[in-house]
Amino acid sequence: MFKALVIENDEQGYRTTLQDLSEKQLPNQDVTLEVSYSTLNYKDALAICNKGPIVRQFPMVPGIDFVGRVINSRHAEWQQDDVALLTGWGVGEKHWGGLAQKASVSGDWLVKVPSALSPLQTMAIGTAGFTAMLCVLALEKQGITPQHGPVLVTGASGGVGSFAVSLLARLGFEVVASSGRASDSDYLRNTLGAASIIDRAELSDPGKPLAKERWAAAIDSVGSHTLANVLAGIKRDGVVAACGMAQGLDLPTSVAPFILRGVVLAGVDSVMCAKPLRQQAWQRLAELVDGELLQQLTKVIPLAEAREGAEQLLAGKVRGRLIVDCR
């Protein structure tokens, strides 16, 4: 038997409870792991608290990230006692996820934990840091270097944005952080390394197809009018990595930035991206992430408090990463 957070939706209503389950109830996948840590992401919180159509089938164990030790494997790549991590692939939505003491998943979805990172650190990074790293790789793929000029990060106080600011600063970029939280100015500058800060209100309303050239590149997790205004302000031959839709799914822009300035819009998908890219991203994270900063941004809670943690996350009472100790 093992403990798991379980979401159910039936004639008794939508509910999330901590339950004792049998291994026989696990999905029939080729790798079973003893979960060490999971995390609470915004998507997890929406699912746990029934605030969005995240879960595709019931019952569901939430948790889109986890790290653990292999205890049984029918997959050629994974042996007993290997330590592996998982982000994305629809776990916690279509497949049982990591907010449990055990998980059964496809071995194709797993990535080896880099030797420079502890299991706890991988979850402190989680999907947020992984997505930010994919965005940085997208900029580098297009040849963007610190010499090209400042890089804008929207949603800079959020999970992806915070990691993006930190990673870019460590790589030597001049980072412009866009945030709606004036109280986070010191955090963005002195903790994460932003060179300057702009209010998100500058970008959130409808704007012109082209604006003054301000940034060599950008990482955007907001979408909608914000992304349109970011594109309008990118310098000639600049790049925007888009990975989120906090403001909306729409993109009210024109072809002007693309055909008059040669701007590249690079989409970043952290859920289904190929394994070689995942491995590259995690290796770069192992090289770049500041361990002391991770510790400052991390709070560890037990599995029994995951529901409460999800409520606090949705209420905006959490800054940094909530790690769930599933042991």
Side-chain angles (χ1 to χ4, degrees):
M1 303 294 288
F2 65 95
K3 292 189 180 299
L5 201 65
V6 181
I7 302 173
E8 297 172 285
N9 189 17
D10 52 28
E11 64 276 2
Q12 298 178 44
Y14 193 106
R15 60 199 184 278
T16 304
T17 56
L18 188 63
Q19 299 183 16
D20 290 313
L21 300 181
S22 164
E23 280 195 26
K24 294 179 180 179
Q25 294 174 266
L26 285 169
N28 185 23
Q29 297 283 8
D30 55 17
V31 179
T32 301
L33 303 97
E34 187 175 68
V35 179
S36 302
Y37 301 99
S38 184
T39 70
L40 280 174
N41 295 282
Y42 195 72
K43 186 182 287 187
D44 298 316
L46 291 173
I48 290 168
C49 299
N50 192 22
K51 297 298 184 181
I54 304 299
V55 178
R56 312 293 178 83
Q57 61 184 37
F58 299 91
M60 177 57 61
V61 175
I64 65 173
D65 304 339
F66 70 84
V67 62
R69 179 180 65 86
V70 174
I71 56 176
N72 188 28
S73 174
R74 304 190 306 273
H75 192 283
E77 187 177 345
W78 299 101
Q79 308 297 320
Q80 187 173 349
D81 292 330
D82 286 344
V83 181
L85 66 91
L86 186 150
T87 62
W89 295 114
V91 299
E93 302 172 68
K94 296 184 293 184
H95 312 284
W96 280 20
L99 285 169
Q101 293 178 323
K102 291 184 180 179
S104 184
V105 297
S106 168
D108 293 339
W109 303 342
L110 296 169
V111 173
K112 185 177 181 180
V113 172
S115 58
L117 295 174
S118 69
L120 179 62
Q121 287 176 320
T122 66
M123 288 301 98
I125 296 168
T127 288
F130 173 62
T131 303
M133 190 71 248
L134 290 177
C135 291
V136 172
L137 291 175
L139 300 188
E140 292 180 342
K141 184 178 180 180
Q142 297 297 326
I144 299 297
T145 67
Q147 287 67 43
H148 286 89
V151 176
L152 173 70
V153 175
T154 65
S157 294
V160 174
S162 292
F163 274 104
V165 171
S166 176
L167 291 169
L168 288 167
R170 287 179 70 82
L171 286 167
F173 286 92
E174 176 190 343
V175 183
V176 180
S178 169
S179 173
R181 303 179 194 172
S183 59
D184 282 348
S185 295
D186 182 68
Y187 164 72
L188 291 167
R189 288 179 184 274
N190 299 326
T191 302
L192 300 183
S196 58
I197 300 169
I198 63 172
D199 193 302
R200 70 182 179 195
E202 288 188 35
L203 303 170
S204 58
D205 293 328
K208 299 178 180 179
L210 282 178
K212 179 182 178 181
E213 297 181 41
R214 301 171 67 182
W215 312 289
I219 292 175
D220 174 70
S221 60
V222 180
S224 191
H225 291 292
T226 296
L227 177 53
N229 287 320
V230 170
L231 289 165
I234 295 294
K235 295 181 179 181
R236 180 170 299 279
D237 297 324
V239 183
V240 177
C243 65
M245 53 181 184
Q247 188 178 9
L249 275 169
D250 59 319
L251 181 54
T253 188
S254 73
V255 298
F258 310 115
I259 65 173
L260 298 180
R261 290 183 182 165
V263 173
V264 171
L265 177 59
V268 172
D269 168 30
S270 64
V271 177
M272 302 297 291
C273 73
K275 191 164 184 174
L277 182 57
R278 289 175 182 271
Q279 293 169 324
Q280 180 187 5
W282 279 104
Q283 190 53 51
R284 289 292 301 280
L285 284 163
E287 297 167 2
L288 289 172
V289 165
D290 183 339
E292 291 185 8
L293 176 60
L294 277 185
Q295 191 170 4
Q296 291 179 41
L297 300 180
T298 299
K299 179 182 179 181
V300 181
I301 62 173
L303 182 59
E305 295 179 11
R307 170 64 198 242
E308 181 184 349
E311 293 172 348
Q312 292 177 343
L313 185 60
L314 292 182
K317 297 179 180 179
V318 175
R319 187 173 77 178
R321 300 282 291 164
L322 272 180
I323 311 303
V324 180
D325 189 338
C326 298
R327 297 172 296 173

